Amino acid sequence: MAELANLIEATSTYFCLDCGVCTGSCPVARVFPQFSPRQIIERSLYGIEDFSDESIWDCLTCAQCSVRCPVNIDFPEFVRLFRDEAHGRGYSGVPTHNGMLQSIWAIQTMDIQQNRTFWVQEGKVAEKGDIFYFVGCRPYFDVIFRDIDAGSIKGAQNVLKILNACGIEPVVSNDERCCGHDALWNGDEETFKRLASINLEIIKASGAKKVVFSCPEGYLIFKRFYPKYFGDLGFEPVHILDFLAEQLKEGALEFKEYEGVVTYHDPCRLGRMAGIYDPPRELIMAIPGIEFREMTRARENGVCCGTSGWINCSGYSKEIQVERLSEAAATGAGALITACPKCQIHFRCAKAASDLEVDIIDLYDLFSANLNISQ
Amino acid sequence: MFKVAQELIGILGIDQRRLRLEWVSSSEGARFAEVVTGFTEQIKELGPCGLKQAA
Ligand code: SF4
Ligand code: SF4
């Protein structure tokens, strides 16, 4: 199969040593032993893998395997390209929430007039300016996951409050679209490209030189994949944690006392894929009185939140999530801090179905509640 | 679920009157006709949805 050969070529999987480190590291394989990245690669190398293979959709694309692979095989990228080919042949994963999210991003490829900035109530925003705040799908998540108290919009309001406190009045656009991250990882490159080109146009029209993200997926996709498809973007994608860590160093941020023990969950897009490990920790530890404890699996080894791209969420996902929450509770922390709106949703969903005591707090809610606003 | 769907299409900029949920039992033929006719008329009044691929 020529396509399979291309895929192997593109990701250099022929270097595979058949060592099994990937499968041994994989959170899915641990709870679902039939799933094996090593075997998927072996079958592909022997030319007996088929694009109808359903197991390809079970991968979380979390990169736990690839950071440990002795020959640096980028398995998540292999999966992405595999899914793209499979999607073209009519295969797909099992969409969660009856495909609601897939429909929402598909509609956003259309010429629509959204009402997505309804949440901007107190903060200051601009129509045009140097800095664009790319909010991401929080307005939609807030409605869909209200029953598990996802609090997605509160997170966006708090990010805006923090930016305002730093003297920034960012552009927030009603025309922003889904960044396309999930479409891309669902193997739907066409939809990804449509969404991306609309976003690029809107940002260009705003005159922004920097685009600030609080969502790890949005940041990763703008930073790594938009240039791959569209070349030079004409602006710089900035993750807000990098920006805030800078502000902290310059003494521009000051926090109030917080009493309590917390731990932090590294989102895979922010940690393993974007290398942002220290800024969230520096910022959390800058809050006076806070006691920070690491989980056993942290930083490069931080386990995934159990499901990704709104496909194939299963009992295995729940098992991964509940195990992660127990790991957080075992540190003695009263709260697990998350830096990704989706990790937050997934953990709050798992928590609702368990009797674990640990709170799940959005990093920006924590910062905003403890910010000393001097200006 | 219906409320969620209605709120979502609102954010997406689709007229919320285009979505409706009614429960009609199999014994209420006349009511079924009334609901469907009413909804059809409303949609006709609203005209084409106008969703088209962004350029
Ligand atoms: S860890 Fe790397 S080399 Fe080892 S089996 Fe997996 S893909 Fe192959
Ligand atoms: S990306 Fe994550 S879920 Fe997928 S095979 Fe690697 S470790 Fe497993």
Side-chain angles (χ1 to χ4, degrees):
Chain A
M1 223 183 289
E3 292 81 1
L4 201 54
N6 292 344
L7 223 116
I8 291 167
E9 192 65 40
T11 50
S12 308
T13 37
Y14 41 68
F15 282 132
C16 176
L17 308 169
D18 204 9
C19 67
V21 164
C22 48
T23 305
S25 307
C26 173
V28 177
R30 202 171 52 248
V31 291
F32 177 43
Q34 286 91 322
F35 178 76
S36 164
R38 181 189 67 84
Q39 285 183 17
I40 292 173
I41 288 181
E42 291 316 293
R43 284 200 298 273
S44 303
L45 290 172
Y46 284 116
I48 53 169
E49 179 61 311
D50 196 274
F51 286 107
S52 63
D53 181 2
E54 287 177 359
S55 73
I56 206 75
W57 305 95
D58 286 327
C59 172
L60 305 168
T61 69
C62 73
Q64 185 65 80
C65 51
S66 49
V67 295
R68 293 186 185 165
C69 173
V71 288
N72 296 324
I73 289 169
D74 189 349
F75 189 70
E77 183 63 5
F78 177 87
V79 165
R80 192 179 73 74
L81 296 169
F82 193 109
R83 285 180 183 173
D84 194 52
E85 192 60 43
H87 178 87
R89 292 162 194 242
Y91 300 107
S92 67
V94 181
T96 62
H97 311 282
N98 299 313
M100 200 191 310
L101 285 304
Q102 281 80 359
S103 302
I104 289 173
W105 74 61
I107 294 175
Q108 289 182 52
T109 64
M110 309 277 187
D111 196 4
I112 49 171
Q113 297 294 319
Q114 297 174 91
N115 300 299
R116 64 185 296 151
T117 51
F118 62 87
W119 58 272
V120 184
Q121 286 151 9
E122 286 176 17
K124 285 185 236 140
V125 296
E127 289 267 314
K128 281 183 189 295
D130 285 348
I131 299 180
F132 190 109
Y133 169 35
F134 192 92
V135 179
C137 298
R138 282 178 182 270
Y140 293 98
F141 293 165
D142 198 71
V143 174
I144 302 171
F145 301 105
R146 193 168 288 152
D147 59 335
I148 55 158
D149 193 21
S152 307
I153 269 315
K154 203 172 101 202
Q157 287 166 334
N158 282 330
V159 167
L160 182 59
K161 185 175 148 196
I162 298 167
L163 287 174
N164 284 171
C166 294
I168 294 171
E169 285 178 25
V171 178
V172 170
S173 171
N174 215 359
D175 292 325
E176 182 188 307
R177 300 297 206 270
C178 166
C179 69
H181 172 280
D182 291 339
L184 193 65
W185 291 97
N186 275 215
D188 188 357
E189 204 177 69
E190 252 336 283
T191 299
F192 161 76
K193 284 199 268 188
R194 286 214 176 103
L195 293 166
S197 57
I198 302 176
N199 279 326
L200 289 174
E201 246 173 67
I202 283 152
I203 294 168
K204 199 170 159 203
S206 78
K209 302 197 175 52
K210 284 187 179 174
V211 179
V212 177
F213 298 82
S214 57
C215 174
E217 295 186 341
Y219 174 69
L220 179 81
I221 220 78
F222 268 74
K223 181 102 183 157
R224 200 197 284 176
F225 293 91
Y226 276 28
K228 208 162 142 177
Y229 288 88
F230 298 91
D232 181 31
L233 304 181
F235 58 81
E236 185 195 349
V238 180
H239 196 279
I240 190 172
L241 287 173
D242 280 334
F243 168 76
L244 292 178
E246 263 319 297
Q247 295 277 308
L248 184 70
K249 263 189 217 125
E250 288 167 15
L253 277 186
E254 228 182 82
F255 293 111
K256 294 192 275 243
E257 280 283 314
Y258 175 98
E259 228 176 278
V261 185
V262 301
T263 186
Y264 170 74
H265 171 84
D266 290 279
C268 50
R269 267 48 185 164
L270 192 67
R272 279 188 291 274
M273 289 195 176
I276 301 179
Y277 294 114
D278 291 325
R281 290 175 167 80
E282 288 163 11
L283 287 154
I284 292 171
M285 285 191 264
I287 300 174
I290 212 163
E291 189 181 333
F292 178 71
R293 293 197 193 147
E294 286 285 9
M295 289 185 270
T296 324
R297 294 176 292 178
R299 302 179 71 99
E300 291 77 3
N301 300 319
V303 76
C304 170
C305 68
T307 174
S308 122
W310 307 115
I311 49 166
N312 290 38
C313 180
S314 67
Y316 302 120
S317 310
K318 284 288 153 291
E319 210 174 322
I320 294 170
Q321 288 152 3
V322 170
E323 197 190 295
R324 185 61 164 167
L325 288 175
S326 317
E327 192 178 346
T331 63
L336 171 68
I337 311 292
T338 56
C340 168
K342 284 189 186 165
C343 293
Q344 169 145 319
I345 288 165
H346 300 150
F347 284 133
R348 289 202 172 162
C349 170
K351 194 195 156 183
S354 78
D355 51 8
L356 286 156
E357 287 292 319
V358 66
D359 283 337
I360 296 143
I361 301 182
D362 185 275
L363 188 60
Y364 306 102
D365 292 353
L366 175 78
F367 290 163
S368 153
N370 291 279
L371 205 59
N372 249 341
I373 300 174
S374 44
Q375 290 97 332
Chain B
M1 203 30 100
F2 172 70
K3 267 220 71 186
V4 168
Q6 196 160 42
E7 252 185 87
L8 290 173
I9 66 164
I11 305 177
L12 284 165
I14 297 171
D15 195 312
Q16 290 176 322
R17 288 171 297 178
R18 293 184 180 277
L19 191 66
R20 193 148 146 194
L21 178 70
E22 299 272 355
W23 298 96
V24 183
S25 113
S26 57
S27 64
E28 300 175 296
R31 192 171 132 66
F32 179 78
E34 194 185 299
V35 166
V36 173
T37 312
F39 190 46
T40 310
E41 268 163 24
Q42 182 167 68
I43 295 294
K44 274 192 189 148
E45 223 169 88
L46 290 170
C49 178
L51 272 191
K52 58 175 189 312
Q53 205 62 248

